[in-house]
């Protein structure tokens, strides 16, 4: 059979339409804030990955100390510390709800002046005293928490005190000795969840005060809390 030339279809008739400028402007205004929120949510930069934080105990202790410090540059005040205190109150009801204005948080501290007693994080408040021993992959040193307990008991005086034993699985200490009742074992994941519940992010409340610096700080905090949950 000979091929037949197909008949060309008649192109559809174009219909005219009118743009309602007022409705278009209203639509753009309605999606403006969701677009800003979407851009914030899509911000994937991880400063801790760039810094090579990994599972290095010293570096992660420094960041955790920064986050727990009410005067830290994160701008979140004492909210992270309040999350830790909430956990400690379940362990010992004498711990307060919050910290005092003179609360001091130190990392790589030598509370008793002995360089051999290097404490990962020291929290010295008028109403309580806490030492945090950070573990990710390393094991406890010989009589490590017994020695830290001796220091804490002496420096705390009449204040409630505790040794927070922070590990991936929340395991019990093997070196607490006579201070075992003052050792609070907790996992990185549990602490991260408690702190996140306590922390009030300005951006979450859509506050106009949440400028670029605040958003960046909050992103850094969120990224670190995510790392903590995965240890």
């Amino acid at each position: 059979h000979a091929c037949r030339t197909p008949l060309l279809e008649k192109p559809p008739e174009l219909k005219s339409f009118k743009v309602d400028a007022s409705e278009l402007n209203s639509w753009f205004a309605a999606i403006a804030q969701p677009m800003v929120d979407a851009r914030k949510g899509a911000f994937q930069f991880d400063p801790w990955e760039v810094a090579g934080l990994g599972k290095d105990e010293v570096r992660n202790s420094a960041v955790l100390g920064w986050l727990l410090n009410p005067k830290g540059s994160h701008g979140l005040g004492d909210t992270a510390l309040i999350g830790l205190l909430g956990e400690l109150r379940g362990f010992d009801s004498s711990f307060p709800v919050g910290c005092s204005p003179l609360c001091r948080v130190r990392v790589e501290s030598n509370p008793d002046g002995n360089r051999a007693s290097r404490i990962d994080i020291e929290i010295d408040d008028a109403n309580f005293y806490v030492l945090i021993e950070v573990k990710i992959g390393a094991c406890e040193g010989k009589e490590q928490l017994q020695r830290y307990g001796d220091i804490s008991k002496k420096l705390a005086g009449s204040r409630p005190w505790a040794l927070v034993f922070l590990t991936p699985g929340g395991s019990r200490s093997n070196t607490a000795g006579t201070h075992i009742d003052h050792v609070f074992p907790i996992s990185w994941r549990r602490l991260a969840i408690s702190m996140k519940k306590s922390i009030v992010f300005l951006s979450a409340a859509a506050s106009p005060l949440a400028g670029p610096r605040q958003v960046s700080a909050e992103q850094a905090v969120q990224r670190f809390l995510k790392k903590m949950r995965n240890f």
Side-chain angles (χ1 to χ4, degrees):
H1 300 285
C3 293
R4 295 182 179 178
T5 303
L7 296 175
L8 296 176
E9 295 183 0
K10 185 178 180 181
E13 183 178 350
L14 296 177
K15 296 182 180 180
S16 62
F17 63 94
K18 183 179 180 181
V19 176
D20 189 320
S22 177
E23 289 190 7
L24 187 61
N25 285 334
S26 298
W27 182 76
F28 279 131
I31 68 169
Q33 188 57 49
M35 288 293 289
V36 171
D37 294 339
R39 285 196 296 272
K40 289 180 182 178
F43 182 63
Q44 297 300 314
F45 172 65
D46 187 345
W48 312 122
E49 182 178 348
V50 175
L53 211 59
K55 293 187 176 181
D56 185 283
E57 291 179 356
V58 174
R59 294 180 182 181
N60 281 284
S61 295
V63 179
L64 179 58
W66 166 75
L67 183 53
L68 290 171
N69 190 345
K71 301 178 180 67
S73 58
H74 44 69
L76 299 171
D78 61 356
T79 52
L81 181 54
I82 287 174
L84 172 61
L85 287 172
E87 290 285 349
L88 285 169
R89 281 201 313 280
F91 172 70
D92 180 349
S93 60
S94 62
F95 273 89
V97 175
C99 64
S100 72
L102 299 178
C103 180
R104 292 178 293 181
V105 178
R106 306 182 186 93
V107 297
E108 297 289 300
S109 175
N110 303 106
D112 62 348
N114 186 348
R115 296 184 63 182
S117 300
R118 182 191 58 79
I119 309 298
D120 291 323
I121 301 174
E122 177 191 15
I123 305 175
D124 189 357
D125 187 90
N127 301 313
F128 64 91
Y129 187 78
V130 172
L131 298 184
I132 302 177
E133 175 57 25
V134 171
K135 297 294 184 188
I136 299 177
C139 298
E140 295 176 71
K142 184 179 179 180
E143 299 181 345
Q144 186 176 22
L145 267 67
Q146 171 71 51
R147 290 185 286 109
Y148 293 174
D150 292 342
I151 294 171
S152 298
K153 184 177 181 180
K154 180 180 179 180
L155 295 180
S158 60
R159 296 174 293 174
W161 64 274
L163 299 173
V164 176
F165 190 50
L166 180 61
T167 65
S171 57
R172 289 171 57 88
S173 168
N174 295 318
T175 66
T178 59
H179 301 299
I180 189 65
D181 291 340
H182 281 274
V183 176
F184 175 52
I186 188 172
S187 69
W188 283 90
R189 178 177 179 80
R190 178 174 168 182
L191 180 58
I193 292 173
S194 294
M195 289 197 302
K196 185 169 184 179
K197 287 180 180 178
S198 176
I199 291 173
V200 179
F201 292 104
L202 289 175
S203 57
S207 170
L209 298 177
R213 290 185 180 180
Q214 184 66 38
V215 171
S216 297
E218 290 176 6
Q219 287 289 341
V221 171
Q222 295 274 25
R223 292 290 178 186
F224 185 66
L225 291 174
K226 182 178 181 180
K227 284 180 66 67
M228 288 179 62
R229 293 196 299 272
N230 292 325
F231 280 154

